[in-house]
């Protein structure tokens, strides 16, 4: 396990540092694509570090069979993927209404429901979401109305069914 | 490898149990159900790890050796990361604004909706009730007449998020 764990720790730390530096230096519009691109590029570093640790670490820290070595590599790769997904969960809290409300309450002391409606107008909020959905090809515009694109239909079929099965409707 | 297999079995059992609770029970708030149930499954992880390491020849590992301890901790780390990912996924389904809008589009008779129509079937008051209700229940905010303000916990949430946004240079998006 050790070569994979050490390699993933260093690779993910590098990803974090590179991301913070780049996002502070440049204005990046397509943030998710940029994050995926950086993560993908640094996955090469993971493979490289794994190979180095596999040769440099003490023998009793290494896997004893070929299958164990492969499992160790895949385990590290899975951790690297999961760390990225978890990082995205935290990174994209800028879309969270609850967090936005908490920040506004903090800045203004207190707010009424009407203040919230003025600060976060529903029209603008929906327009922003629909623009995101159109850009990601989940929804398309048809005159003044919006309808699901094929990708959106698949997405809704899977998640909508699960939502219905878990009795989470109407939700949102 | 023992830890990985133990965690895969445990987490699958955990998800199936949670889905059963969601479908047939009424445990609220969801976040408590997710976290408490996960804690209940930690001993299950230990038990499955013990069973595999003691009774499965290929997965035999000495739990007190360095390799064994790393194996257990690696499994735990995977378990924690899976929990965070699952929590995010669950709330994406339960509370996702975009998903709800798309579900409403699919439900509409002609398969399309204008913004005013979306606002009619998915009202802003409903969104506010749900978010603010959750904030009150979780102790992030409190209401004094019409005025809503942060509690200490809410202030910490806001401060932590402001710090993260500053470091990661995140702008305040229209949510």
């Amino acid at each position: 396990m050790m070569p994979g764990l050490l390699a993933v720790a260093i690779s993910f730390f590098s990803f974090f540092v590179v991301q913070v530096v780049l996002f502070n230096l440049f204005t990046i519009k397509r943030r998710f694509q940029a994050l995926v691109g950086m993560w993908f590029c640094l996955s090469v570093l993971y493979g490289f570090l794994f190979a180095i640790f596999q040769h440099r670490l003490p023998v009793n820290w290494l896997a004893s069979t070929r299958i164990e070595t492969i499992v160790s590599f895949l385990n590290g790769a899975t951790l690297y993927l999961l760390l990225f997904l978890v990082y995205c969960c935290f990174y994209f809290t800028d879309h969270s209404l609850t967090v936005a409300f908490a920040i506004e309450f903090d800045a203004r002391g207190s707010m009424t429901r009407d203040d919230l409606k003025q600060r976060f107008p529903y029209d603008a909020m929906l327009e922003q979401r629909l623009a995101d959905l159109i850009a990601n090809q989940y929804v398309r515009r048809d005159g003044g109305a919006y309808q699901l694109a094929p990708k959106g239909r698949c997405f809704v079929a899977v998640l909508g069914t699960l939502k219905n099965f878990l009795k989470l409707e109407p939700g949102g | 490898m023992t830890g990985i297999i133990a965690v895969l079995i445990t987490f699958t059992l955990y998800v199936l149990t949670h889905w059963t609770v969601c479908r047939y029970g009424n445990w609220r708030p969801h976040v408590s159900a997710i976290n408490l149930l996960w804690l209940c499954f930690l001993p299950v992880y230990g038990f499955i790890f013990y069973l595999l390491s003691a009774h499965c020849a290929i997965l035999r590992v000495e739990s007190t050796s360095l390799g064994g301890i790393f194996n257990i901790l690696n499994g735990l780390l995977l378990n924690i990361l899976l929990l965070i990912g699952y929590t995010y996924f669950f709330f994406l389904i339960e509370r996702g604004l975009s998903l709800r809008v798309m579900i409403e589009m699919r439900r509409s008779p002609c398969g399309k909706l204008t913004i005013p129509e979306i606002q009619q079937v998915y009202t802003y008051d409903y969104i506010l009730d749900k978010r603010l209700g959750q904030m009150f229940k979780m102790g992030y905010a409190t209401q004094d007449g019409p005025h809503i303000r942060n509690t200490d916990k809410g202030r910490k949430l806001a401060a932590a998020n402001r710090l993260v946004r500053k470091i990661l240079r995140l702008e305040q998006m229209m949510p």
Side-chain angles (χ1 to χ4, degrees):
Chain A
M1 294 291 165
M2 278 309 282
L5 291 177
L6 285 174
V8 82
I10 297 173
S11 308
F12 194 76
F13 182 71
S14 307
F15 162 78
F16 178 72
V17 172
V18 169
Q19 189 258 313
V20 170
V21 170
L22 284 183
F23 277 46
N24 273 284
L25 286 179
F26 305 103
T27 303
I28 294 166
K29 288 248 189 284
R30 297 175 79 88
R31 292 179 301 153
F32 182 66
Q33 281 85 344
L35 283 175
V36 172
M38 267 181 264
W39 175 83
F40 198 73
C41 289
L42 285 166
S43 63
V44 177
L45 177 67
Y46 167 72
F48 179 68
L49 287 172
F50 184 87
I52 288 180
F53 288 133
Q54 193 64 27
H55 287 98
R56 302 273 180 209
L57 286 177
V59 180
N60 60 337
W61 284 28
L62 299 176
S64 50
T65 64
R66 197 176 176 81
I67 289 181
E68 282 183 8
T69 306
I70 294 170
V71 169
S72 170
F73 180 81
L74 292 177
N75 175 63
T78 308
L79 280 174
Y80 187 57
L81 173 69
L82 285 174
L83 280 170
F84 174 70
L85 294 176
V86 166
Y87 183 71
C88 285
C89 299
F90 287 105
Y91 186 85
F92 288 103
T93 49
D94 61 344
H95 278 65
S96 163
L97 261 178
T98 306
V99 170
F101 288 172
I103 290 175
E104 284 304 309
F105 293 153
D106 209 40
R108 299 184 187 205
S110 74
M111 288 172 92
T112 63
R113 287 170 74 102
D114 287 336
D115 294 336
L116 281 174
K117 285 179 181 174
Q118 270 187 344
R119 173 65 184 86
F120 302 107
Y122 198 20
D123 279 345
M125 209 158 78
L126 280 177
E127 273 167 21
Q128 170 76 49
R129 288 297 175 115
L130 289 165
D132 280 352
L133 290 172
I134 290 170
N136 291 297
Q137 295 165 353
Y138 287 102
V139 167
R140 59 175 166 233
R141 199 169 178 157
D142 179 18
Y146 297 86
Q147 67 182 120
L148 290 176
K151 189 178 168 186
R153 270 198 291 277
C154 291
F155 187 76
V156 171
V158 176
L159 295 189
T161 307
L162 187 57
K163 188 172 183 170
N164 183 33
F165 173 77
L166 296 177
K167 297 206 181 289
L168 298 175
E169 291 198 308
Chain B
M1 188 140 139
T2 319
I4 300 172
I5 295 177
V7 85
L8 287 178
I9 297 171
T10 313
F11 204 79
T12 306
L13 290 174
Y14 161 73
V15 170
L16 291 176
T17 310
H18 183 238
W19 284 10
T20 309
V21 168
C22 278
R23 185 155 174 83
Y24 300 107
N26 192 27
W27 191 351
R28 297 287 189 277
H30 285 299
V31 70
S32 303
I34 288 174
N35 292 337
L36 280 175
L37 208 55
W38 183 81
L39 283 176
C40 293
F41 269 84
L42 275 185
V44 178
Y45 166 68
F47 181 65
I48 292 175
F49 186 93
Y50 165 75
L51 280 184
L52 290 174
S53 61
H55 299 289
C56 186
I58 312 167
L59 301 173
R60 195 172 298 279
V61 63
E62 189 60 55
S63 307
T64 50
S65 67
L66 188 66
I69 292 168
F70 270 121
N71 219 319
I72 294 172
L73 292 179
N74 178 67
L76 267 179
L77 178 62
L78 273 173
N79 210 352
I80 292 168
L81 292 176
L82 284 171
L83 171 74
I84 299 172
Y86 176 71
T87 307
Y88 186 78
F89 175 72
F90 181 83
F91 282 108
L92 176 87
I93 295 175
E94 198 263 341
R95 201 161 304 169
L97 202 142
S98 305
L99 178 63
R100 173 74 192 271
V101 168
M102 288 198 284
I103 288 174
E104 293 302 341
M105 279 178 198
R106 188 182 64 169
R107 272 193 195 140
S108 77
C110 54
K112 55 177 97 167
L113 289 173
T114 60
I115 287 185
E117 284 168 343
I118 296 172
Q119 289 173 332
Q120 247 177 2
V121 289
Y122 182 30
T123 65
Y124 202 8
D125 280 324
Y126 172 84
I127 294 175
L128 284 179
D129 284 343
K130 192 141 189 192
R131 265 69 179 183
L132 292 174
Q134 194 67 22
M135 287 179 84
F136 297 145
K137 219 182 277 180
M138 301 289 294
Y140 287 119
T142 178
Q143 189 160 15
D144 178 17
H147 298 282
I148 305 162
R149 55 173 56 89
N150 274 340
T151 58
D152 281 345
K153 196 175 167 186
R155 272 191 284 278
K156 282 175 193 158
L157 174 76
N161 273 280
R162 264 204 309 269
L163 180 68
V164 169
R165 283 172 187 205
K166 194 174 167 191
I167 294 170
L168 300 180
R169 207 181 161 213
L170 289 171
E171 289 159 25
Q172 172 66 60
M173 293 278 294
M174 181 54 70

